[in-house]
């Protein structure tokens, strides 16, 4: 049975992307690979209209966490200080990275799902003038909360602080204004809103923020500066996941033909409309207000008297894979993601197959 994946990546692939995996074998030292890599870097910059003279795409072989870790470990200089917004699992993961790399850092910790208050951040920065970089998760997949990057960016910009964004679960489907919001770098992945396969992730970085080659990096494999130097020449320091590249370039072509991130945003919202309407009738309540959440993933309270395992298994038997809550939310919520080759019809069927379980 081919399940419809409602988890936030890996996604349900389109047939077109799946077939791209079967293209000819390719050595990553051949000109065909250089062309493929060049095409993908250009396609990724085009999504948010970024100028290649000012912005570099660095392609990595690894999951989204590799891109986030490369961004954090490469871009905070030895004398820098990183502030990290924590309001979910992924913000907390960046703090773990800072500890591992012994990067001087502070944590701005909120309850999971809570909204960030701008005055509080501004006050924090006013009284901690040694902060040079601020790491923020755009879409906290833990809860579905879309953090207000625009306002956070404005505060950072006014203070000359570099904004480092984990856009892993928003890139390609939510608004991201790189220059106006003062974004210094954004980490993302092939297999979430871009609908590629897992294995390729990337960082889009303002070129002037990359460290100079004389500086000893904190990491060898995840050093963005050396990747950038080689990729600008058509090369790669290490073997890349060639088949994932094939799938990604096809997925990006599909996104372009569909009408870019705005159309994908609308498509996801249409899927969620069906879910919200159906769940409301079934008495399934959302975790947060809709306006606070992304269109990529929403979290819902488990229905009264139905455990996660029972809900999961019932839906899986009917062809859908949903996603559990993490940590303290594991027993109380479930999550539905809209990413991937999913149609409005699929969401209607999801609502329909939930009905009998709730009519007890
Ligand atoms: C999925 C995700 C990641 C990375 O997860 P991987 O399992 O490493 O791909 C990082 N940040 C956010 C916000 C995510 O949703």
């Amino acid at each position: 049975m081919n399940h419809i994946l409602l988890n936030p990546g890996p996604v349900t692939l389109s047939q077109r992307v799946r077939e791209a995996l079967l293209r000819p074998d390719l050595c990553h030292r051949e000109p065909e690979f250089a062309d493929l890599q060049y095409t993908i870097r250009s396609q990724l910059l085009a999504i948010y209209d970024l100028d290649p003279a000012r912005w570099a795409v660095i392609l990595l072989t690894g999951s989204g966490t590799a891109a986030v870790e490369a961004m954090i470990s490469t871009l905070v200089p030895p004398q820098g200080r990183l502030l990290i917004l924590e309001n979910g699992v992924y913000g907390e993961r960046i703090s773990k990275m800072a500890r591992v790399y012994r990067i001087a850092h502070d944590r701005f910790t909120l309850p999971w799902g809570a909204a960030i208050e701008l005055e509080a951040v501004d006050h924090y920065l006013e009284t901690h003038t040694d902060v040079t970089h601020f790491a923020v998760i755009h879409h906290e997949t833990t809860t579905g909360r879309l953090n207000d990057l625009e306002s956070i960016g404005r505060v950072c910009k006014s203070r000359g602080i570099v904004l480092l964004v984990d856009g892993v679960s928003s890139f390609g489907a939510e608004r991201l204004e790189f220059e106006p919001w003062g974004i210094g770098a954004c980490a993302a992945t092939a297999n979430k809103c871009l609908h590629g396969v897992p294995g390729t992730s990337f960082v889009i970085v303002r070129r002037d923020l990359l460290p100079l080659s004389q500086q000893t990096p904190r990491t060898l494999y995840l050093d963005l500066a050396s990747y950038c130097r080689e990729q600008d020449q058509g090369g790669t320091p290490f073997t890349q996941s060639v088949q994932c590249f094939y799938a990604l370039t096809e997925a990006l072509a599909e996104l372009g033909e569909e009408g870019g991130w705005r159309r994908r945003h609308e498509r996801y919202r249409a899927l969620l409309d069906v879910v919200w309407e159906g769940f409301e009738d079934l008495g399934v309540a959302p975790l947060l207000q809709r306006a606070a959440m992304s269109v990529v993933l929403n979290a819902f309270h488990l229905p009264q008297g139905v455990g996660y395992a029972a809900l999961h298994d019932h839906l899986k038997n009917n062809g859908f894979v949903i996603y559990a809550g993490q940590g303290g939310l594991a027993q109380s919520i479930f999550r539905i993601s809209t990413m991937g080759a999913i149609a409005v019809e699929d969401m209607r069927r999801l609502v329909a197959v939930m009905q009998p379980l709730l009519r007890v």
Side-chain angles (χ1 to χ4, degrees):
M1 185 178 213
N2 238 348
H3 290 98
I4 301 270
L5 301 185
L6 301 173
N7 48 293
V11 300
T12 305
L13 298 177
S14 71
Q15 196 53 28
R16 177 174 168 185
V17 170
R18 193 189 309 283
E19 278 166 11
L21 292 166
L22 300 178
R23 286 181 195 162
D25 300 330
L26 177 59
C27 170
H28 62 291
R29 302 289 177 220
E30 292 299 313
E32 292 86 349
F33 176 81
D35 290 346
L36 176 62
Q37 183 169 254
Y38 175 82
T39 301
I40 293 174
R41 294 177 91 203
S42 307
Q43 286 172 307
L44 286 171
L45 286 180
I47 296 173
Y48 292 104
D49 289 321
L50 298 175
D51 174 6
R54 185 156 160 83
W55 297 90
V57 177
I58 293 138
L59 294 167
L60 302 166
T61 285
S63 78
T65 305
V68 177
E69 188 165 332
M71 173 175 78
I72 298 297
S73 59
T74 302
L75 298 180
V76 184
Q79 67 284 7
R81 188 168 190 93
L82 177 67
L83 178 64
I84 300 150
L85 169 63
E86 293 181 349
N87 60 350
V89 168
Y90 297 99
E92 292 175 6
R93 188 175 291 176
I94 292 184
S95 297
K96 285 186 193 161
M97 291 170 188
R99 276 201 296 282
V100 167
Y101 288 97
R102 300 177 198 281
I103 294 169
H105 67 283
D106 300 316
R107 298 152 61 206
F108 195 91
T109 306
L110 299 171
W112 283 7
I116 188 164
E117 280 171 33
L118 266 306
E119 302 78 56
V121 179
D122 201 44
H123 180 257
Y124 191 92
L125 295 173
E126 179 73 37
T127 50
H128 297 76
T129 51
D130 52 347
V131 171
T132 56
H133 293 65
F134 192 10
V136 177
I137 311 298
H138 186 204
H139 169 218
E140 242 312 343
T141 322
T142 314
T143 58
R145 155 101 34 208
L146 196 62
N147 284 315
D148 181 1
L149 214 51
E150 180 172 8
S151 304
I152 294 167
R154 202 176 315 120
V155 169
C156 288
K157 215 172 175 180
S158 73
R159 296 184 177 278
I161 290 166
V162 177
L163 182 57
L164 302 179
V165 176
D166 171 342
V168 174
S169 65
S170 57
F171 191 96
E174 294 286 352
R175 177 176 298 280
L176 274 165
E177 305 267 4
F178 280 72
E179 295 284 357
W181 298 358
I183 293 172
C186 177
T189 187
N191 68 293
K192 292 202 183 185
C193 307
L194 299 179
H195 299 183
V197 302
T200 297
S201 59
F202 58 92
V203 182
I204 297 189
V205 57
R206 227 175 65 202
R207 286 181 175 276
D208 61 302
L209 297 175
L210 285 167
L212 302 172
S213 55
Q214 304 89 292
Q215 205 174 299
T216 306
R218 287 193 182 91
T219 159
L220 178 77
Y221 190 72
L222 295 175
D223 175 35
L224 291 179
S226 61
Y227 275 93
C228 192
R229 282 191 296 275
E230 299 229 16
Q231 293 188 353
D232 281 347
Q233 306 299 316
T236 170
F238 311 105
T239 308
Q240 294 277 11
S241 49
V242 176
Q243 282 76 11
C244 297
F245 274 33
Y246 282 146
L248 179 56
T249 195
E250 201 57 39
L252 292 171
E254 210 170 57
L255 174 67
E257 289 164 27
E258 212 178 87
W261 76 264
R262 288 179 184 81
R263 292 285 303 140
R264 183 146 294 175
H265 182 90
E266 284 166 23
R267 169 189 166 153
Y268 285 0
R269 193 168 44 203
L271 295 172
L272 275 180
D273 284 344
V274 176
V275 173
W276 274 71
E277 218 171 281
F279 281 10
E280 198 177 0
D281 291 344
L282 294 174
V284 177
L287 178 68
L288 304 175
Q289 288 186 336
R290 189 157 180 192
M293 288 198 270
S294 72
V295 297
V296 178
L297 172 143
N298 282 185
F300 297 89
H301 293 284
L302 283 165
Q304 200 82 49
V306 181
Y308 178 78
L311 180 64
H312 170 273
D313 294 354
H314 170 76
L315 291 174
K316 194 165 181 186
N317 288 335
N318 285 281
F320 295 98
V321 173
I322 57 165
Y323 211 48
Q326 286 154 293
L329 293 174
Q331 305 306 320
S332 58
I333 68 162
F334 68 102
R335 292 177 289 173
I336 299 283
S337 169
T338 51
M339 57 178 77
I342 301 173
V344 163
E345 275 317 307
D346 297 319
M347 289 310 198
R348 290 217 180 95
R349 205 164 60 75
L350 170 76
V351 172
V353 298
M354 264 177 82
Q355 221 157 11
L357 188 71
L358 302 186
R359 217 191 295 122
V360 273

